[in-house]
Amino acid sequence: QQQVKQSPQSLIVQKGGIPIINCAYENTAFDYFPWYQQFPGKGPALLIAIRPDVSEKKEGRFTISFNKSAKQFSLHIMDSQPGDSATYFCAAPSNTGKLIFGQGTTLQVKP
Amino acid sequence: EADIYQTPRYLVIGTGKKITLECSQTMGHDKMYWYQQDPGMELHLIHYSYGVNSTEKGDLSSESTVSRIRTEHFPLTLESARPSHTSQYLCASSVQEFTEAFFGQGTRLTVV
């Protein structure tokens, strides 16, 4: 069964730091790689997504970097804030087109 | 306001009971999904619907069943709940497969 490997499992940074979360995926015929943010007791919400016709996409303080040859993509959070403390999930399409989620990264941003 | 709703939010039920988890969306999305998520773990797709009268099983085997009689409604049923079914169940919808999926707040199910 296809997998998406996400790391690290947890991350603690100081306010203003730049946490980086990495994901690696297996072969897929589809091109859509989203990141979701989930707060406790809530469902995941789409944070940012990339289609790999570009190697980088930036929305506000959030940036996705994409390396198609290495089958890897990462999320960078610039000037992180305590309100960014949440669990982050990457996802990649399986060969059947269904999204497979990574294991999640719990981020804590200390004031 | 367009949204996706799940009820109940929390459910504690005894072994052997039949349960239905409700999911409704007001966005007119054709694609709807059910995911299962254990605490601190990834989401696993258990059911998927392309549209009315179209359902298929996801990558994670599940004893639950679903129906899609109306575009906006995608309920999930467990005929006989077991402690192994204890988990969080998340419903989602999207316009197409590779566009933003909107998630409900989830139903946290505990079978005792």
Side-chain angles (χ1 to χ4, degrees):
Chain A
Q1 188 177 10
Q2 284 182 279
Q3 290 185 326
V4 173
K5 295 184 179 180
Q6 183 175 342
S7 63
Q9 188 175 357
S10 62
L11 192 52
I12 301 173
V13 301
Q14 293 294 133
K15 178 183 174 181
I18 306 175
I20 301 173
I21 306 170
N22 300 297
C23 273
Y25 64 96
E26 299 175 2
N27 287 328
T28 178
F30 302 90
D31 291 334
Y32 176 73
F33 299 87
W35 284 92
Y36 280 83
Q37 180 187 54
Q38 185 177 27
F39 293 105
K42 303 288 187 182
L46 180 69
L47 186 64
I48 185 172
I50 194 169
R51 298 183 188 273
D53 50 349
V54 296
S55 60
E56 185 175 285
K57 182 175 181 180
K58 187 177 293 186
E59 287 185 3
R61 296 184 293 107
F62 301 93
T63 300
I64 297 181
S65 297
F66 191 86
N67 186 332
K68 191 169 185 176
S69 61
K71 297 187 180 66
Q72 294 177 350
F73 58 110
S74 60
L75 176 70
H76 301 232
I77 306 176
M78 309 301 289
D79 187 27
S80 58
Q81 302 296 313
D84 296 330
S85 298
T87 301
Y88 293 82
F89 293 93
C90 64
S94 69
N95 280 334
T96 59
K98 306 299 184 292
L99 279 180
I100 301 174
F101 284 81
Q103 298 87 345
T105 297
T106 300
L107 171 66
Q108 182 183 355
V109 180
K110 292 190 170 184
Chain B
E1 180 181 318
D3 212 334
I4 181 163
Y5 306 93
Q6 287 187 246
T7 57
R9 288 291 314 279
Y10 304 93
L11 179 61
V12 180
I13 201 161
T15 297
K17 299 290 186 183
K18 178 180 178 178
I19 59 169
T20 296
L21 308 184
E22 300 290 347
C23 176
S24 294
Q25 50 100 358
T26 60
M27 296 171 281
H29 290 166
D30 283 330
K31 309 294 190 288
M32 295 191 74
Y33 319 80
W34 276 103
Y35 288 88
Q36 185 174 342
Q37 182 184 30
D38 291 325
M41 303 296 286
E42 66 263 51
L43 289 73
H44 291 286
L45 182 68
I46 54 175
H47 295 285
Y48 176 79
S49 170
Y50 291 98
V52 172
N53 294 325
S54 166
T55 63
E56 68 175 56
K57 288 190 177 295
D59 298 323
L60 181 68
S61 176
S62 174
E63 294 169 344
S64 58
T65 59
V66 292
S67 63
R68 188 87 183 276
I69 298 172
R70 303 198 316 266
T71 298
E72 63 271 21
H73 195 212
F74 191 39
L76 180 146
T77 298
L78 274 167
E79 290 292 333
S80 180
R82 294 207 301 269
S84 61
H85 296 138
T86 295
S87 188
Q88 174 163 253
Y89 293 84
L90 288 160
C91 180
S93 72
S94 67
V95 174
Q96 298 292 338
E97 280 187 286
F98 302 117
T99 57
E100 179 175 4
F102 292 84
F103 282 82
Q105 295 203 64
T107 295
R108 189 169 295 280
L109 172 66
T110 303
V111 184
V112 298

